Amino acid sequence: MEIFKKEVLAGLQKSHKTLSSKYFYDDEGSRIFQEIMDMPEYYLPAAEMEIIERHSQVIAQKIAGEELDIVELGAGDGRKISHFLKVLHPFVDHLTYFPLDISQGILEENTKLMAKEVRGIKIEAMWGDFFISLPKIRDRKTRRVLIFAGSNIGNFKRKEAEEFLQFIDQELKTGDNFILGVDLKKNPRKILAAYDDPHGITKRFNLNLLNRINKELGGDFELESFDHYGTYHPITGAAESFLVSLKDQKVRIGDEVILFQKDEVIQTEISQKFDLPLLMELSKNVEFRIDSIFSDSSSLFSWVLFRK
Ligand SMILES: C[S@@+](CC[C@H](N)C(=O)[O-])C[C@H]1O[C@@H](n2cnc3c(N)ncnc32)[C@H](O)[C@@H]1O
């Protein structure tokens, strides 16, 4: 709560206002995100699911062993990974799945689904920020596969993504694997539609962040005085979301007052799209190397399997 407040105020006091996308996911935000995943414009989950359906068997053979920890960072509701674990399970005698997420509600959904769908595996839910929670199981001797799916890495700025990969590197021993789900650069209109949908669901998701600040930090944002604005830049590959202030306004958060001018924006999310040169560039300072890349039939999305 204290960190949330500190980061929100620091972000809104910058000359270019920002809010971190990790705060989207309170219970309501996680619920709206599930609606986003069901939208026809949001092609990412279907493309990633196709990869899981087409390639899980080969990936399972590559990572199989007698004992294995699967640690999924930012696991969400687990509906895609449950299919992967089902295929993997027969290849591993002792399989433990660690779903790790900052949202407690979604973690409960994940473990319920997993216990029902993939019988016989051990499930150890971990609630918290991945930078704090993952090191807590560093001493386990079991070989591990870390999974960062759903193009979660796209939510980091470039330097943060490089630092995240270095953090992953520290948490891998020789012989361990890392599976990274990345959304690929493609027709810009297709990408833009995924982040600026005609149903207004992405807008609700973005505005929920202000609602969360109102509820948890004593804010008084008027939601109807802000709009959602989504962009995509085909050269940098960055899809970005903003909230636009529709008038000059003063917003209170606890004892602090934040001033907004009409049309001033808050940057709330970046969703970076990838190609091979960018992936190579980001992973140049880590010890793990690309083993294989698995894509869907339309080359929208990839799972990159790394090995240390
Ligand atoms: C875009 S969703 C993807 C969920 C899932 N991996 C999928 O592919 O469906 C991102 C998830 O990461 C979680 N998350 C975001 N920031 C996090 C952090 N710093 N630590 C742990 N989990 C985080 C959110 O709560 C959310 O469930």
Side-chain angles (χ1 to χ4, degrees):
M1 163 82 162
E2 269 314 301
I3 297 176
F4 179 30
K5 185 166 187 178
K6 232 170 95 184
E7 290 192 358
V8 163
L9 290 175
L12 294 180
Q13 283 159 353
K14 285 197 219 163
S15 51
H16 293 295
K17 295 180 167 60
T18 60
L19 287 170
S20 167
S21 57
K22 73 178 173 205
Y23 293 120
F24 278 137
Y25 300 94
D26 63 350
D27 288 345
E28 179 63 5
S30 296
R31 206 193 51 70
I32 305 174
F33 185 70
Q34 286 176 316
E35 279 185 62
I36 289 180
M37 290 210 291
D38 289 335
M39 297 189 317
E41 292 80 8
Y42 197 73
Y43 58 86
L44 290 82
E48 192 168 36
M49 194 57 217
E50 192 196 321
I51 295 171
I52 291 173
E53 279 164 359
R54 284 162 60 112
H55 302 294
S56 286
Q57 191 86 11
V58 173
I59 300 172
Q61 280 163 352
K62 280 177 174 281
I63 65 175
E66 221 177 278
E67 252 192 309
L68 192 63
D69 286 350
I70 296 282
V71 187
E72 189 181 10
L73 306 163
D77 63 14
R79 50 173 132 149
K80 282 172 287 163
I81 290 296
S82 66
H83 294 272
F84 176 62
L85 293 182
K86 253 190 221 169
V87 175
L88 176 64
H89 190 198
F91 289 87
V92 183
D93 294 335
H94 302 285
L95 181 61
T96 309
Y97 171 60
F98 293 81
L100 191 166
D101 206 287
I102 204 164
S103 160
Q104 195 173 20
I106 205 77
L107 205 51
E108 280 166 17
E109 256 187 62
N110 178 308
T111 50
K112 249 189 240 157
L113 176 95
M114 224 50 81
K116 190 167 134 244
E117 293 293 324
V118 202
R119 291 182 190 274
I121 62 166
K122 212 167 153 198
I123 302 167
E124 301 268 0
M126 297 182 75
W127 176 38
D129 188 292
F130 21 71
F131 292 108
I132 297 166
S133 299
L134 183 58
K136 290 184 185 160
I137 53 166
R138 187 179 282 169
D139 292 340
R140 282 178 68 86
K141 301 275 180 282
T142 319
R143 201 165 66 75
R144 63 166 51 166
V145 177
L146 301 184
I147 300 184
F148 201 41
S151 200
N152 279 3
I153 188 140
N155 293 142
F156 292 129
K157 296 196 183 95
R158 194 190 175 98
K159 189 159 175 292
E160 291 170 336
E162 271 183 56
E163 284 167 4
F164 179 80
L165 293 180
Q166 285 163 15
F167 163 68
I168 292 293
D169 199 15
Q170 283 169 20
E171 301 300 326
L172 294 174
K173 297 181 288 300
T174 305
D176 287 347
N177 292 99
F178 174 45
I179 293 174
L180 181 65
V182 289
D183 192 20
L184 303 177
K185 289 182 180 171
K186 59 183 70 64
N187 187 298
R189 286 195 193 283
K190 187 168 180 74
I191 294 177
L192 189 58
Y195 293 92
D196 199 7
D197 67 274
H199 325 285
I201 302 174
T202 314
K203 176 174 174 172
R204 263 198 288 129
F205 181 64
N206 210 357
L207 284 171
N208 180 60
L209 188 47
L210 303 185
N211 203 24
R212 179 174 185 189
I213 294 172
N214 285 351
K215 281 190 298 196
E216 295 183 28
L217 303 180
D220 66 357
F221 279 103
E222 288 171 9
L223 268 50
E224 58 285 3
S225 301
F226 287 86
D227 192 14
H228 164 74
Y229 179 67
T231 65
Y232 175 64
H233 193 297
I235 295 177
T236 63
E240 295 185 41
S241 292
F242 300 87
L243 287 163
V244 187
S245 174
L246 296 176
K247 59 180 191 186
D248 287 343
Q249 50 185 321
K250 255 188 215 170
V251 174
R252 276 185 192 285
I253 299 174
D255 298 334
E256 302 285 335
V257 175
I258 310 286
L259 299 179
F260 287 89
Q261 289 179 345
K262 181 171 184 295
D263 298 332
E264 189 178 355
V265 298
I266 312 173
Q267 184 180 29
T268 53
E269 190 176 38
I270 168 164
S271 300
Q272 179 66 44
K273 307 304 160 194
F274 290 83
D275 52 19
L276 194 58
L278 179 57
L279 262 180
M280 301 299 283
E281 177 65 22
L282 288 179
S283 56
K284 66 177 188 290
N285 291 325
V286 294
E287 283 181 29
F288 52 80
R289 290 284 163 258
I290 296 178
D291 174 295
S292 338
I293 299 182
F294 303 92
S295 302
D296 60 290
S297 55
S298 312
S299 298
L300 300 175
F301 202 96
S302 288
W303 262 25
V304 185
L305 174 67
F306 294 93
R307 188 175 185 85
K308 180 152 170 171

